[in-house]
Amino acid sequence: MRAPHLLMVVAIAGGAALLALLIDNDYYLRILFMMGVYYLCAAGMNVLVGYAGQKSLGQAGLFAAGAYTAALLTTSFDLNPWLALGAAAIAAGACGVLIAWPSLRVRGPYLAMVTLAFGIVVEKLVSEWTEVFGGADGIYGIKSLAIFGTPFGMLQWVWFVIALGVVTHLLLRNLLSGRFGRAFLSLQADEIAAESVGVSVYKYKILAFVIAAVTCGVAGAIVAQQNQYLNSDFISFNLSIFILLLVLFGGAGNQYGPLVGAILLTLIDAQLAKWPSIQHFVYGALLLFSLYLMPNGVAGLIKQLLGSRGHTPSVRSKSKSVVAANFETASDSRHPLLDVDTVSKHFGGVRPAQDVSFRLQWGHVHALIGPNGAGKSTMINMITGVLTPTAGRITFVGQNIGGAESHVICRLGIGRTFQNLRLFAGLSVLENVLLGQHCRMKNGFWASLFALPSSIREEAAAQERAWAILDVVGLTDLAMSAAGSLPYGLQRRVELARALATEPKLLLLDEPAAGLNPQETAELGKLIVKISKLGITILMVEHHMDLVMSISDHVVVLDYGIKIAEGTPSIIQADKRVIEAYLGAEAA
Amino acid sequence: MLIALLQAIVSGLAVGSAYALIALGFSITFTTTKTLNFSHGDFVSVGAFIGVSILWLLLGKPINSPLSGVSIANWQHLAAALGSVIVIGCLGILLYFLAVRPFAGKPGMSWVMSTIGFGIILTSLGLAVWGPSQVVVPSPVGDDVIRIAGIGIRPQEILMFVVAVIIMVAIDLTMRRTMVGKAMRAVAHDRRVASLMGINVTAFMVGAFFLSSALAGLSGALIAPIASASLYVGLGIALKGFSGAIVGGLSNPRGCVLGGFALGVLESLVNLWQAQWREIVVFLLVILVLALRPHGLLGQHTVEKV
């Protein structure tokens, strides 16, 4: 796939560059230039909106950050324009961190409001703080980029944005096609599940905002340097909306969406510039109806019309290496695997855990049972960092994990499934399992961005392991189906596969048999035993007593947040308090 | 100094009552449908113009003719205000069916974009009809400034404050004391369960958008005599109303109202110090509040069950 794609990109870019050479008209060259500029904005914005699923209504603020940095540095400080362009990218990136910071705590409409407010603050700042930003009068004499001392002409500018666009496209493609792209998509699908497979939601949200900020800032700087003039009229709410529209109209989450959006909207914009009132009307109509008629944008529509299913099964690994090789969890005899020590949790007056203590042994199958409302899921959630214990210590292989973040706990070696399935429904089964591998992959941001050999190697290794795990749970034939489209029982297995892919020492299963029929339950039992034989310790919360009693080595019983018994299944079955808890006390 | 401070607080409360009406409108749609109308500001502007247009119609004058100095009967003012409430309310219903219903409850928050789009269309239509210029609107209670202990108040400011407070108390009582209010809160809590209890959920959602938009129309009609009718006046008011709602907590209608008033006063106080920093301070405050209390000062924190 790589070589033809590269050829196609070179052909398109070369065609555009040649076209620019043939055009002898500054007006048309300018349209080409603006296409390039808007493509840059949209390409980064696509990472934020289309992949990470965060709406930003304040991109004009980031555009301004880049534009004014370049403008001020080349005028007031007489800096080299190339250095100023670099500085603009950094300044915009810093502003990206600034808006991302509240996004770590707020979601949905609140986040839209924060970004909107940021855009307005910047707009007001540049238009009203005239001593620094020149307001509506603007800043003159911004230095154009130059080569060998000659400032760029319009043709060079067009070539420059084309080159920049190609580089941006290729880099983002590298980044999004592997580990990072999947992590962004997981944020959009389900943040809690993303944390549970080791994706740091905070880190990836900030990263997405910074990527969008940097491309927007560079675009702003280029516009300022090309015009050699900048005033506050350019920075408006309309620009923020336009940048968002580029992505949504073009096709969010589609690699080619930003390009399609930039080309079409720049053309529409140029055509309608003569009639401003109609222009706004058209934008309004596009915003209102395009999402309705083409939820995946123009690029999505084209894809649909061409009928390409997008996913062709990628090369299956030849060697189905035995999955056991991945799970050599050397047991560390100095520490118990998990030590829950007098842990309590209070929600106001509700106390789903009161001084609960138990230990898990390496290699055993443990079960946590109890009537409804006994605090079993609360316990699982505290062990995996979704909830913080009110009191007590949870120690995993000698390390205190009480209150640690979920993604850290996942990395330490605790995998989990959820009581109410939390799959990344829109992603394929294979991608779900690959996300499980996220925390075990070592390729960092730069390696992925430049597709360094280490990153390609990691991706290949992860693919191989994912296929091996799919083989263990018997899902190889469905690897390319969307996880959300599978029947319930299979979805449960996908979630199990995803948890296994995190290569856990301890696997927590929260009601794995819920909703399964007797046959499926029996198969699940066999699967759990199989997993246990790979050397993974299991703690499951379950109501199916047949399953619990037949496969567990050790059972802990909770009732109203208090541990009332623990021991082997036979001891539990004979325990008076357990029988009372389930069946009620005999009338005395 | 004290007089200036009091003056700022009084004018802040007056303009704050417009913000509070807007904030309450946001809260109503958010609690029932989990969506917001991002074109609320355009509704406010258009609401002001609908009011003025009704005056022109009743007085038999052409569009965009000056109204200052013309004698307008009280019933004509009342008709104008009612007209803009009803027209904008109906516009809210249109908005619900066109821009909100197709996207509500689905992931991706597409309704943010579609409601913005609706507003942009509305404004460009408004520009075609009324043009970009400001229209001075006479107040039904006269334009002579009343002086109390050295503080100047415009009668329209008092009127706006009183009307807003009455409306808000009425809505609050309806929400808390009547079956309709209970049903509305049930829809907000869980629309599926509410529907199973025999509540017509769609009717309540349509009603929520009608009410919320009607409030926008009302605040447009009320603020026009103070700020003049202009198609650009709404965005700022709505953004601050929105900020008030966010600061107070979208899920709590009372919090939203208080947030609206608080924001009006704050803005007015900052204005006393540095007029051009007004917006910047207000929005920075919003970002700060959200960073510290993500659900607003009085909003409820909902825990997702895992």
Side-chain angles (χ1 to χ4, degrees):
Chain A
M1 271 304 279
R2 283 190 80 79
H5 171 258
L6 197 64
L7 268 179
M8 192 180 76
V9 170
V10 169
I12 291 177
L18 209 64
L19 184 69
L21 194 62
L22 297 175
I23 293 174
D24 195 19
N25 176 325
D26 256 14
Y27 173 74
Y28 291 118
L29 279 178
R30 212 185 139 66
I31 290 179
L32 270 181
F33 173 71
M34 285 319 286
M35 276 180 194
V37 166
Y38 287 137
Y39 170 72
L40 284 178
C41 291
M45 190 69 172
N46 191 27
V47 176
L48 183 64
V49 178
Y51 284 81
Q54 311 290 312
K55 290 266 183 305
S56 166
L57 297 171
Q59 286 312 101
L62 299 165
F63 190 92
Y68 277 95
T69 304
L72 292 175
L73 286 180
T74 58
T75 53
S76 305
F77 297 91
D78 206 26
L79 194 73
N80 177 299
W82 289 97
L83 290 178
L85 183 61
I90 293 168
C95 287
V97 175
L98 199 71
I99 358 180
W101 170 64
S103 85
L104 307 181
R105 303 206 48 190
V106 302
R107 299 205 167 89
Y110 292 91
L111 179 60
M113 176 65 206
V114 172
T115 57
L116 188 69
F118 170 80
I120 304 268
V121 167
V122 172
E123 189 184 330
K124 292 283 170 191
L125 205 64
V126 298
S127 61
E128 292 182 2
W129 195 0
T130 45
E131 300 94 57
V132 177
F133 298 111
D137 293 338
I139 302 174
Y140 289 89
I142 299 166
K143 275 195 227 148
S144 169
L145 289 181
I147 190 157
F148 304 124
T150 327
F152 279 10
M154 200 65 225
L155 183 62
Q156 282 82 42
W157 272 113
V158 172
W159 284 346
F160 181 63
V161 288
I162 290 173
L164 214 52
V166 168
V167 171
T168 309
H169 170 76
L170 293 177
L171 290 182
L172 286 180
R173 185 180 151 88
N174 288 341
L175 189 69
L176 295 173
S177 62
R179 183 177 182 231
F180 280 74
R182 283 193 301 268
F184 287 134
L185 286 170
S186 76
L187 293 192
Q188 181 168 7
D190 187 333
E191 291 184 9
I192 290 175
E195 280 273 325
S196 86
V197 294
V199 176
S200 165
V201 169
Y202 288 10
K203 181 180 145 192
Y204 280 90
K205 267 194 193 170
I206 291 186
L207 188 61
F209 269 102
V210 168
I211 290 171
V214 167
T215 63
C216 253
V218 167
I222 290 174
V223 167
Q225 292 185 320
Q226 191 274 326
N227 273 328
Q228 300 180 29
Y229 169 72
L230 177 67
N231 74 9
S232 62
D233 291 347
F234 213 91
I235 310 306
S236 67
F237 181 55
N238 286 337
L239 178 64
S240 295
I241 297 297
F242 187 79
I243 293 173
L244 191 47
L245 187 58
L246 285 170
V247 176
L248 295 179
F249 180 64
N254 184 314
Q255 280 188 49
Y256 303 100
L259 183 65
V260 175
I263 291 174
L264 290 179
L265 285 178
T266 312
L267 286 177
I268 293 175
D269 195 55
Q271 282 304 310
L272 295 178
K274 292 159 237 167
W275 307 290
S277 57
I278 295 180
Q279 188 182 22
H280 282 126
F281 187 89
V282 169
Y283 291 152
L286 285 179
L287 274 174
L288 183 52
F289 293 114
S290 67
L291 288 169
Y292 186 50
L293 298 174
M294 340 175 261
N296 298 317
V298 176
L301 193 70
I302 293 171
K303 197 171 158 188
Q304 202 182 337
L305 290 180
L306 293 180
S308 76
R309 295 297 315 130
H311 280 302
T312 42
S314 65
V315 216
R316 275 227 15 214
S317 57
K318 308 121 264 174
S319 64
K320 257 193 268 167
S321 63
V322 186
V323 72
N326 297 324
F327 295 109
E328 274 174 17
T329 46
S331 61
D332 178 348
S333 52
R334 284 170 303 150
H335 300 285
L337 179 66
L338 185 83
D339 187 6
V340 175
D341 183 15
T342 57
V343 165
S344 299
K345 178 74 193 176
H346 301 168
F347 295 107
V350 185
R351 299 170 169 214
Q354 294 169 51
D355 294 328
V356 177
S357 302
F358 58 85
R359 281 186 174 188
L360 302 187
Q361 299 302 322
W362 292 90
H364 282 200
V365 175
H366 298 267
L368 184 59
I369 64 170
N372 282 328
K376 304 177 299 288
S377 284
T378 303
M379 183 53 67
I380 297 277
N381 286 339
M382 283 192 287
I383 296 172
T384 52
V386 176
L387 295 173
T388 305
T390 315
R393 273 174 75 86
I394 301 176
T395 319
F396 181 66
V397 202
Q399 194 170 352
N400 184 16
I401 56 168
E405 286 176 284
S406 293
H407 66 94
V408 175
I409 292 175
C410 170
R411 197 155 302 201
L412 287 174
I414 301 184
R416 74 169 291 179
T417 64
F418 293 88
Q419 185 178 349
N420 302 309
L421 282 172
R422 280 180 174 272
L423 282 175
F424 306 116
L427 303 186
S428 72
V429 170
L430 179 64
E431 283 169 315
N432 269 277
V433 178
L434 280 169
L435 264 161
Q437 277 278 308
H438 180 88
C439 63
R440 303 296 163 216
M441 294 173 74
K442 293 182 192 70
N443 47 330
F445 175 75
W446 299 107
S448 308
L449 189 66
F450 294 107
L452 299 183
S454 66
S455 147
I456 294 169
R457 224 170 25 238
E458 282 286 320
E459 181 71 19
Q463 292 261 358
E464 193 161 326
R465 265 171 263 163
W467 281 108
I469 288 166
L470 283 175
D471 194 46
V472 170
V473 298
L475 284 172
T476 19
D477 295 337
L478 295 166
M480 293 305 164
S481 322
S485 69
L486 299 183
Y488 189 79
L490 292 179
Q491 290 198 21
R492 286 232 165 252
R493 256 199 270 170
V494 177
E495 209 186 28
L496 187 62
R498 185 180 72 187
L500 273 180
T502 66
E503 299 176 19
K505 296 188 180 80
L506 170 62
L507 180 60
L508 304 180
L509 305 173
D510 197 350
E511 301 200 14
L516 301 189
N517 63 31
Q519 195 204 333
E520 286 173 323
T521 307
E523 281 172 16
L524 177 78
K526 279 183 210 146
L527 187 57
I528 292 176
V529 172
K530 192 167 158 191
I531 292 167
S532 158
K533 290 213 173 105
L534 296 172
I536 298 170
T537 310
I538 288 167
L539 173 64
M540 66 170 166
V541 167
E542 194 40 76
H543 282 300
H544 285 70
M545 286 306 144
D546 302 351
L547 180 67
V548 170
M549 297 306 166
S550 62
I551 65 171
S552 345
D553 302 307
H554 175 254
V555 180
V556 176
V557 189
L558 292 180
D559 188 28
Y560 291 112
I562 298 168
K563 185 182 82 178
I564 57 170
E566 69 173 308
T568 59
S570 51
I571 293 176
I572 295 300
Q573 277 168 316
D575 190 293
K576 230 174 152 181
R577 290 187 66 189
V578 176
I579 295 167
E580 265 178 36
Y582 273 92
L583 299 175
E586 262 178 73
Chain B
M1 184 58 208
L2 185 68
I3 297 284
L5 209 62
L6 276 176
Q7 174 79 60
I9 291 174
V10 168
S11 345
L13 282 175
V15 70
S17 59
Y19 299 162
L21 279 178
I22 305 284
L24 183 60
F26 279 121
S27 173
I28 288 169
T29 61
F30 187 72
T31 47
T32 43
T33 63
K34 293 278 173 279
T35 59
L36 298 167
N37 175 9
F38 271 74
S39 60
H40 224 71
D42 306 300
F43 280 39
V44 174
S45 314
V46 173
F49 269 103
I50 297 283
V52 182
S53 302
I54 291 175
L55 286 182
W56 281 323
L57 200 71
L58 291 175
L59 295 167
K61 288 184 176 289
I63 275 184
N64 284 347
S65 62
L67 281 174
S68 44
V70 180
S71 79
I72 304 169
N74 277 338
W75 70 268
Q76 286 167 325
H77 273 296
L78 196 64
L82 271 180
S84 84
V85 166
I86 291 168
V87 171
I88 301 300
C90 293
L91 214 54
I93 296 178
L94 186 67
L95 173 92
Y96 174 74
F97 283 109
L98 272 183
V100 177
R101 196 178 161 84
F103 306 114
K106 289 186 193 152
M109 286 190 9
S110 301
W111 49 267
V112 172
M113 308 313 302
S114 57
T115 56
I116 289 176
F118 190 92
I120 293 176
I121 291 180
L122 195 63
T123 303
S124 44
L125 288 178
L127 280 172
V129 177
W130 295 298
S133 54
Q134 288 197 344
V135 176
V136 178
V137 183
S139 160
V141 284
D143 289 319
D144 305 319
V145 175
I146 302 169
R147 298 223 160 256
I148 304 166
I151 304 167
I153 311 173
R154 293 161 76 174
Q156 179 70 23
E157 290 181 322
I158 300 176
L159 180 72
M160 183 160 82
F161 183 80
V162 171
V163 172
V165 169
I166 290 173
I167 298 274
M168 289 183 289
V169 169
I171 290 177
D172 190 69
L173 287 178
T174 315
M175 294 278 268
R176 281 167 197 269
R177 298 278 170 82
T178 67
M179 211 56 203
V180 175
K182 248 183 210 157
M184 216 160 152
R185 296 204 318 238
V187 172
H189 192 76
D190 189 328
R191 70 176 75 166
R192 276 165 56 201
V193 176
S195 163
L196 287 174
M197 296 301 111
I199 297 170
N200 185 344
V201 172
T202 306
F204 272 93
M205 292 189 171
V206 171
F209 269 88
F210 178 84
L211 185 58
S212 156
S213 307
L215 290 178
L218 179 68
S219 49
L222 286 173
I223 207 144
I226 298 174
S228 299
S230 144
L231 282 169
Y232 303 108
V233 75
L235 181 65
I237 296 175
L239 270 179
K240 282 171 210 152
F242 193 3
S243 311
I246 294 267
V247 168
L250 266 176
S251 56
N252 179 344
R254 287 182 175 176
C256 287
V257 168
L258 289 179
F261 278 117
L263 215 74
V265 172
L266 175 83
E267 182 192 26
S268 186
L269 290 176
V270 177
N271 198 24
L272 208 59
W273 165 60
Q274 279 276 317
Q276 73 264 38
W277 290 97
R278 213 166 56 186
E279 268 87 7
I280 296 171
V281 170
V282 167
F283 289 122
L284 285 180
L285 176 89
V286 174
I287 295 177
L288 192 72
V289 166
L290 279 181
L292 298 176
R293 296 220 17 133
H295 294 267
L297 294 174
L298 298 170
Q300 273 178 342
H301 182 71
T302 47
V303 184
E304 193 180 358
K305 193 171 181 313
V306 180

